[in-house]
């Protein structure tokens, strides 16, 4: 899982009660006939954020972006941009630019002419246009390619021309619909960093739509996860990854093992969950917001589990001070191994029959793997590794 650390802002604006949102979406719905593509969505996005709308196909993310751009009108609710209700304001009068999935570059124009097009339409003076185009070409590192036509560029370069064309009009808010979808995996990863760097340089508020959770995790300051027109969780990449609020989010973001169980003890500082799925009782080293008797899922990420052939030290679950690093352990047999370079992924069939995934770093270069197929193994994880899910 890529979780790149963004340069920390002085204070995350969404945590500052004095900060006013730049974009405020209040109870917005969009219906097509009887079908709600966007359903009662409320969101606050702050100036300078790189905000990602993340969700599977058809969850309503593009519709929400089109509502912001003014290409669709809400069936209910209100959208404020920079304190102004934008209802009735046409797309070209909003301080917003939208970069589409298909970059829609004019094939017969050079890169520089493509970028200058919107400025000519706005009838800016020639000299201003020349300066602005040169400035953005420099920004996207295409200063030497201004005379080329789009077909003479690579996919990544075309993507940067489209970005330059969106930025040259100096929008306050840039909406990007799957901007990297046309790029292959390697180029996409490289371009993710470029996009973040450019956004930090220009300071424009970016709202990006993507179905790719790694992409959202890598680039965004915050992510809103969408499902069936609703926002199911909003948070920083690490909040969403470490503290998913539901099974849907836990499973959508990264890989996860979920053990079904029942709370048998719910104290302010810990909880105990009995789970046939895990084949052992699960100790959670913090209080949970559900009472004894509640059925729950316990989500544990594969990289938070350790594998060993010998019985790991169990520690003492009742020890309040200095909690042990290992309090949960299950037993099973290795049924699959995938070597993925930096890590190996093990599928272990627990004694309960449940298959789980465990990710172990490949710390040493070795041709002989210490744990292999059909080995009997212990899987251990600490008291803070599991997240209790009640929905
Ligand atoms: P994708 O990643 O596949 O583009 P999305 O999350 O961006 O998906 P939207 O394009 O917002 O999804 O569409 C959400 C839902 O609304 C879909 O079920 C879609 O079929 C429906 N929808 C979108 N536009 C219209 C329209 N103009 N008329 C009728 N239904 C529409």
């Amino acid at each position: 899982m890529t979780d790149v650390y963004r340069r920390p802002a002085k204070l995350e604006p969404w945590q500052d009660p004095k900060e006013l949102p730049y974009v405020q979406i209040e109870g917005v719905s969009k219906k097509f006939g009887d079908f709600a593509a966007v359903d009662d969505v409320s969101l606050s996005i702050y100036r300078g954020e790189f905000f990602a709308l993340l969700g599977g196909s058809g969850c309503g993310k593009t519709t929400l972006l089109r509502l912001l751009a003014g290409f669709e009108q809400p069936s209910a609710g209100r959208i404020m941009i920079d304190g102004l209700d934008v209802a009735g304001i046409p797309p070209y009068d909003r301080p917003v630019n939208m970069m589409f999935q298909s970059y829609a570059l004019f094939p017969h124009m050079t890169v520089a002419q493509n970028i200058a097009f919107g400025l000519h339409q706005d009838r800016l003076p020639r000299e201003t246009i020349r300066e602005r185009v040169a400035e953005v070409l420099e920004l996207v590192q295409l200063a030497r390619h201004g005379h080329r036509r789009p077909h003479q560029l690579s996919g990544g370069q075309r993507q940067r021309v489209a970005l330059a064309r969106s930025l040259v009009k100096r929008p306050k808010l840039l909406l990007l619909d799957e901007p990297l979808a046309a790029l292959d995996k390697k180029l996409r990863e490289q371009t993710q960093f470029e996009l973040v760097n450019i956004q930090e340089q220009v300071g424009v508020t970016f709202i990006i739509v993507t179905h790719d959770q790694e992409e959202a995790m890598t680039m965004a300051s915050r992510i809103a996860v969408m499902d069936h027109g609703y926002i199911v969780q909003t948070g920083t990449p690490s909040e969403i990854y470490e503290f998913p609020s539901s099974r849907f989010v836990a499973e959508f973001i990264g890989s996860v093992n979920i053990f079904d169980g029942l709370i048998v003890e719910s104290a302010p500082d810990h909880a105990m969950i009995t789970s046939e799925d895990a084949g052992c009782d699960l100790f959670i080293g913090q209080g949970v917001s559900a009472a004894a008797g509640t059925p729950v899922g316990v989500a544990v990420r594969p990289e938070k589990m350790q594998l060993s052939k010998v019985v790991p030290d169990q520690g003492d679950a009742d020890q309040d001070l200095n909690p042990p690093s290992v309090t949960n352990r299950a037993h099973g047999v290795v049924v699959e191994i995938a070597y993925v370079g930096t890590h190996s992924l093990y599928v272990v069939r627990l004694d309960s029959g449940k298959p789980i995934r465990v990710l172990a770093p490949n710390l040493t270069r070795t041709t002989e793997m210490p744990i292999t197929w059909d080995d009997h193994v212990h899987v251990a994880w600490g008291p803070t590794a599991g997240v209790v899910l009640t929905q």
Side-chain angles (χ1 to χ4, degrees):
M1 172 60 49
T2 327
D3 188 1
V4 171
Y5 285 97
R6 289 169 64 81
R7 210 170 296 139
K10 260 191 258 137
L11 179 63
E12 294 172 326
W14 53 92
Q15 304 211 9
D16 182 353
K18 291 200 290 288
E19 194 76 33
L20 293 175
Y22 183 63
V23 176
Q24 200 155 11
I25 301 171
E26 295 173 351
V28 165
S29 298
K30 176 65 189 176
K31 288 194 164 180
F32 295 109
D34 285 345
F35 174 74
V38 170
D39 204 346
D40 195 18
V41 163
S42 294
L43 259 187
S44 295
I45 298 170
Y46 293 83
R47 204 180 291 273
E49 267 206 81
F50 196 130
F51 195 93
L53 295 170
L54 173 68
S57 182
C59 72
K61 49 199 191 303
T62 298
T63 304
L64 189 54
L65 212 63
R66 291 173 59 80
L67 287 163
L68 286 168
F71 297 124
E72 303 282 0
Q73 296 306 316
S75 315
R78 188 165 77 139
I79 296 175
M80 313 273 287
I81 299 179
D82 205 7
L84 187 75
D85 186 341
V86 292
I89 299 183
Y92 50 84
D93 278 338
R94 298 187 182 198
V96 176
N97 210 340
M98 182 149 167
M99 188 176 136
F100 293 94
Q101 254 181 52
S102 61
Y103 311 137
L105 300 178
F106 298 118
H108 58 286
M109 288 186 190
T110 65
V111 165
Q113 286 166 344
N114 261 287
I115 296 172
F117 183 78
L119 301 183
H120 282 298
Q121 282 201 317
D122 289 349
R123 301 188 181 284
L124 291 191
R126 260 175 202 289
E127 187 54 21
T128 311
I129 295 178
R130 207 189 53 74
E131 278 168 18
R132 284 228 214 153
V133 170
E135 193 182 290
V136 291
L137 277 173
E138 196 71 47
L139 183 72
V140 299
Q141 296 175 14
L142 287 174
R144 292 188 301 126
H145 294 71
H147 61 283
R148 292 207 191 168
R149 291 188 200 283
H151 75 271
Q152 296 170 310
L153 299 176
S154 71
Q157 288 166 339
R158 275 199 290 273
Q159 190 275 339
R160 298 203 312 256
V161 176
L163 182 65
R165 196 178 53 178
S166 307
L167 288 171
V168 80
K169 291 189 77 173
R170 300 188 177 166
K172 300 247 174 54
L173 175 63
L174 184 58
L175 309 175
L176 304 104
D177 188 1
E178 302 270 6
L180 309 180
L183 309 182
D184 67 43
K185 187 170 163 42
K186 195 137 192 147
L187 191 54
R188 206 162 60 217
E189 282 171 6
Q190 185 189 329
T191 313
Q192 287 166 4
F193 287 105
E194 286 176 8
L195 210 54
V196 171
N197 282 334
I198 289 170
Q199 191 262 349
E200 282 177 352
Q201 281 182 56
V202 294
V204 173
T205 307
F206 275 29
I207 304 180
I208 183 172
V209 152
T210 180
H211 66 274
D212 180 335
Q213 43 100 7
E214 279 206 33
E215 190 164 293
M217 298 278 289
T218 305
M219 296 198 289
S221 53
R222 283 190 306 152
I223 298 172
V225 183
M226 289 189 74
D227 183 31
H228 288 98
Y230 296 101
I231 294 206
V232 286
Q233 189 172 0
T234 305
T236 62
S238 60
E239 279 165 2
I240 299 242
Y241 186 76
E242 301 290 348
F243 306 104
S245 61
S246 63
R247 278 171 194 254
F248 175 82
V249 175
E251 283 171 341
F252 191 76
I253 308 280
S255 177
V256 72
N257 301 299
I258 298 186
F259 301 106
D260 286 321
L262 195 71
I263 300 184
V264 287
E265 189 186 345
S266 182
D269 62 347
H270 72 272
M272 193 63 102
I273 289 153
T274 172
S275 167
E276 279 182 23
D277 235 7
C280 60
D281 284 350
L282 305 175
F283 178 80
I284 305 288
Q286 67 240 346
V288 299
S289 56
T294 312
V296 290
V298 177
V300 188
R301 299 284 183 193
E303 74 277 12
K304 297 208 177 355
M305 298 174 141
Q306 295 96 43
L307 267 193
S308 67
K309 286 204 267 193
V310 295
V311 182
D313 262 351
Q314 177 121 28
D316 180 359
D318 294 330
Q319 199 177 340
D320 287 341
L321 301 166
N322 194 16
S325 59
V326 167
T327 35
N328 300 293
R329 61 173 199 214
H331 180 267
V333 174
V334 175
V335 290
E336 298 279 357
I337 307 175
Y339 176 74
V340 280
T342 53
H343 290 76
S344 287
L345 178 68
Y346 295 83
V347 178
V348 175
R349 189 180 311 285
L350 296 183
D351 294 346
S352 65
K354 183 182 177 70
I356 61 162
R357 298 167 143 237
V358 182
L359 203 62
N362 292 322
L363 299 175
T364 53
R365 177 134 48 114
T366 170
T367 48
E368 243 180 282
M369 286 199 220
I371 295 178
T372 187
W373 282 267
D374 299 329
D375 275 351
H376 285 255
V377 287
H378 299 273
V379 184
W381 63 98
T384 56
V387 176
V388 176
L389 304 169
T390 53
Q391 45 177 330

